[in-house]
Amino acid sequence: MREVNVTRVACSGAMRREEWKANGEERALIWRPDLGKSFLLDLGQKTYTESKVSEDRSAPPESDLEAVERELTDSQSPDSVQSRMLPDEKIEGRQCAVYETRVVYVGGSSEVIRTHRDKETGLILRQEISEASGRSVVTERKEVTLSVSPDMFEVPADFKRTP
């Protein structure tokens, strides 16, 4: 079984906003290293949670996005992780570095993660997770916009903060 998730991304300097659907619900993540915060928004419920971003401001926001995704998916702890670089590929005309990570979890389940990172922007444009069971999940970042209104990086005034 193959599941495809598509996200939309807007960037302005170090700020970033990513939108996607999860279980039929629309979500957005606003990454604001200038404030030292990220905001996970539930667009349908008009609520948000606030988190501190990693202390290393030079780190790509992927680390914070992956942390949010791990919290939402209730993933297992890895027993071993092995990574290797693959030949570059083009995704929608953009040159990407490609790497593959093999993860074996405590208990024996495993998965292979193939990641395509845009060499110009540093964004992960495609990530495919293939499980030993035959299930695969593909996340594609489309509609990457680099020139947007600063309002895109603000939590709307009518959203309520949740703990």
Side-chain angles (χ1 to χ4, degrees), residues 3-96:
E3 176 184 331
V4 177
N5 300 309
V6 177
T7 66
R8 295 182 307 278
V9 181
C11 300
S12 179
M15 294 185 295
R16 184 158 141 196
R17 179 184 177 115
E18 186 159 355
E19 296 182 11
W20 70 95
K21 272 191 174 182
N23 300 321
E25 297 179 21
E26 293 184 32
R27 305 254 190 234
L29 180 69
I30 298 173
W31 193 72
R32 294 288 307 265
D34 58 322
L35 302 176
K37 298 179 182 180
S38 65
F39 306 92
L40 180 62
L41 286 65
D42 181 325
L43 300 176
Q45 297 292 319
K46 293 190 174 188
T47 60
Y48 72 96
T49 57
E50 185 177 307
S51 302
K52 289 184 179 182
V53 296
S54 59
E55 293 297 318
D56 180 2
R57 307 284 174 155
S58 66
E62 248 61 60
S63 58
D64 292 296
L65 290 170
E66 289 167 355
V68 168
E69 288 172 8
R70 275 193 302 277
E71 285 181 27
L72 293 174
T73 60
D74 190 29
S75 67
Q76 308 169 48
S77 297
D79 186 37
S80 70
V81 178
Q82 297 176 333
S83 295
R84 67 181 179 125
M85 293 298 298
L86 299 175
D88 289 358
E89 292 182 20
K90 281 196 174 187
I91 303 281
E92 297 187 7
R94 303 186 74 86
Q95 192 68 27
C96 293

Side-chain angles (χ1 to χ4, degrees), residues 123-153:
L123 294 173
I124 294 175
L125 297 184
R126 180 180 295 151
Q127 189 168 59
E128 183 170 355
I129 301 172
S130 300
E131 298 174 355
S133 66
R135 177 177 180 256
S136 72
V137 177
V138 178
T139 301
E140 296 179 338
R141 290 189 170 98
K142 301 223 180 219
E143 300 177 30
V144 176
T145 307
L146 301 177
S147 178
V148 294
S149 165
D151 295 342
M152 291 287 298
F153 307 102

